[in-house]
């Protein structure tokens, strides 16, 4: 009791910080609405055009099966780079699957034809605009849908992991989170997004979870 009398102000700070975090989680995760799925139409060569379809055309970007299988390839072919890629992609897949209670993704087996190829460590100048610096997804539909995911050379392993989470969200069809919850995987990720810019966890919002469960839950 004597300690509490002397340090009551520390207790008030703790209560205030706890309340702030709970408020951020409640507002960011539960209450705001997001676009949900990306709208897409297809060029004559089968490449996807995202969110720029003529009025009244286009469709939600939805795979016709789950899980989406992913083959992970290090751009430079170096074993250490491949290990980094395998670890980050594996952790990202686990988060998406666990937090949605769906098997959205899995790593493709050795002889299996994957739905998507994820290339890890591409140089900035290879086929990616400055606006997409950090990562990109390109879907194709020629008979069946497939995709390429690129994760560029990024300064920190934490940021590389966050960008991988983000691009897997686009891979499954999710649009950007336009709300203010920065710990959502679909919050637009930039080169300045470091650990300090987010809460100490990543949390799929209730909105995105419901979109995915409604879209894919019966499959």
């Amino acid at each position: 009791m004597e300690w509490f009398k002397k340090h009551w102000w520390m207790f008030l700070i703790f209560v205030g910080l706890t309340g702030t975090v709970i408020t951020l989680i409640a507002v960011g995760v539960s209450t705001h609405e997001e676009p949900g799925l990306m709208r897409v139409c297809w060029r004559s060569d089968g490449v996807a055009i995202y969110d720029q379809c003529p009025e009244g055309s286009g469709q939600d970007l939805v795979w016709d099966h789950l899980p989406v299988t992913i083959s992970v390839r290090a751009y430079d072919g170096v074993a250490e780079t491949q290990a980094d890629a395998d670890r980050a992609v594996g952790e990202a897949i686990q988060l998406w699957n666990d937090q949605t209670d769906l098997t959205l993704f899995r790593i493709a087996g050795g002889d299996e034809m994957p739905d998507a190829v994820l290339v890890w460590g591409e140089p900035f100048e290879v086929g990616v605009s400055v606006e997409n610096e950090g990562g990109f997804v390109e879907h194709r539909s020629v008979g069946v849908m497939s995709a390429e995911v690129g994760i560029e050379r990024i300064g920190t392993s934490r940021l590389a992991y966050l960008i991988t989470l983000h691009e897997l969200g686009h891979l499954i069809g999710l649009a950007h989170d336009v709300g203010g919850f920065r710990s959502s995987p679909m919050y637009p990720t930039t080169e300045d997004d470091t650990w300090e810019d987010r809460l100490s966890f990543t949390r799929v919002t209730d909105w995105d979870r419901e979109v995915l469960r409604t879209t894919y839950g019966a499959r």
Side-chain angles (χ1 to χ4, degrees), residues 39 41 51-59:
R39 297 289 293 177
C41 45
D51 300 316
Q52 297 180 7
C53 301
E55 187 71 26
S57 67
Q59 62 194 72

Side-chain angles (χ1 to χ4, degrees), residues 24-185:
L24 282 170
I25 295 172
V27 173
V29 173
S30 301
T31 61
H32 73 278
E33 294 186 357
E34 304 159 27
L37 296 173
M38 293 188 289
R39 297 289 293 177
V40 64
C41 45
W42 305 94
R43 296 189 331 211
S44 59
D45 60 359
V47 175
I49 302 173
Y50 305 101
D51 300 316
Q52 297 180 7
C53 301
E55 187 71 26
S57 67
Q59 62 194 72
D60 288 337
L61 180 57
V62 176
W63 293 82
D64 64 3
H65 65 278
L66 286 182
V68 175
T69 57
I70 302 172
S71 175
V72 181
R73 178 169 63 86
Y75 183 82
D76 59 12
V78 175
E80 184 178 356
T81 308
Q82 184 69 51
D84 289 341
D86 291 339
R87 180 171 55 254
V89 175
E91 291 176 359
I93 285 174
Q94 182 174 351
L95 183 142
W96 277 110
N97 290 351
D98 288 350
Q99 291 197 15
T100 60
D101 293 320
L102 296 167
T103 307
L104 296 174
F105 309 105
R106 69 172 173 82
I107 298 297
D111 296 327
E112 184 178 9
M113 181 67 70
D115 298 310
V117 176
L118 186 147
V119 183
W120 180 274
E122 290 192 273
F124 288 136
E125 64 270 20
V126 177
V128 182
S129 68
V130 173
E131 288 77 12
N132 290 330
E133 191 171 273
F136 70 93
V137 177
E138 181 179 274
H139 292 80
R140 294 178 178 271
S141 183
V142 183
V144 296
M145 192 156 76
S146 62
E148 179 182 351
V149 183
I151 306 297
E152 297 183 334
R153 290 176 181 163
I154 300 160
T156 69
S157 58
R158 172 64 181 172
L159 181 54
Y161 168 69
L162 292 174
I163 290 174
T164 302
L165 277 173
H166 183 84
E167 299 306 334
L168 290 189
H170 284 320
L171 176 61
I172 202 63
L174 289 175
H176 281 143
D177 179 351
V178 296
F181 186 62
R182 294 180 65 86
S183 287
S184 163

